[in-house]
Amino acid sequence: MKFFVDTANLKQIKEAQELGVLDGVTTNPSLMAKEGVVGKENIFEHYRKICEIVDGDVSAEVISTDYDGMLKEAAELVKIHPRIVVKIPMIKEGLKAIKYLSGKGIKVNCTLIFSAGQALLAAKAGAEYVSPFVGRLDDISTDGMELIHQIRVIFDNFGIKTKILAASIRNPVHIIKSAEIGADVATCPLSSILALLNHPLTDIGLEKFLSDYRTSQSVSKVKI
Ligand code: G3P
């Protein structure tokens, strides 16, 4: 399973890249706004900086909701960098835009997926990725992971190549469950990736190894 970070924070993207496990980045207008990036020029420059840090796909979302507007934005976004993937919302106009863009060889990440039917439509239109929002489904007492499972089964039934990108990941358990089910990618906050590192027995074990080492060294010094 690939690991993407779901942020527009350059420091966090660099930190994830330096960890050596980063395969890509997803952003959305809320995440860009959180970083205080305002104005088209600045937003495009910010995407350029992200692409220079990470080797993999970088999703950049359109803000238009009409077909023509989405295509115009997509044409501008893909000029920023060859690794830009155009993020299109799961609405009727978006579906038509996915069909057109994928036909032109442009990679699309279809976002705001909350049902298997939406995922199937996006895949049929040629999306490279579908982004089911796990955490937001959990928020309304629906099992987000069950949706990942459902989409996996459907895509496997028909050999659909569209990649399942588990989004709205909120914790390390979401990441592990996504991997178990067979999501192709999990896009996560850096904190959830870092949380995978932690285990109390690792800390206790390391402390014991080091204290045994220190003890053995002081004993051998006494012998000399
Ligand atoms: O990739 C989609 C993601 O950014 C949504 O996450 O935490 O806002 O539900 P969240």
Side-chain angles (χ1 to χ4, degrees), residues 3 12 17 22 25 29 32 55 73 106 108 122 125 145 150 215:
F3 278 39
Q12 288 186 16
Q17 175 68 19
L22 188 63
V25 175
M32 290 299 264
D55 289 333
E73 276 191 68
I106 293 171
V108 175
M145 279 303 151
Q150 228 183 344
T215 305

Side-chain angles (χ1 to χ4, degrees), residues 6-7 26-28 30-31 61 87 109 111-112 131-136 139 165-170 187 189:
D6 192 29
T7 182
T26 51
T27 63
N28 61 41
S30 304
L31 293 171
E61 188 160 342
K87 211 169 174 190
N109 174 359
T111 190
L112 291 165
S131 288
F133 278 34
V134 173
R136 291 192 195 183
D139 288 345
L165 193 164
S168 185
I169 294 275
R170 302 277 175 78
T187 189

Side-chain angles (χ1 to χ4, degrees), residues 40-50 52 80:
K40 191 170 155 183
E41 290 296 311
N42 293 331
I43 289 172
F44 278 29
E45 182 53 28
H46 202 80
Y47 284 138
R48 197 167 293 115
K49 286 181 188 161
I50 294 173
E52 280 163 12
I80 298 174

Side-chain angles (χ1 to χ4, degrees), residues 139-156:
D139 288 345
I140 58 156
S141 307
T142 304
D143 186 353
M145 279 303 151
E146 181 50 34
L147 175 59
I148 303 289
H149 176 70
Q150 228 183 344
I151 299 171
R152 181 74 280 156
V153 169
I154 293 169
F155 283 10
D156 288 350

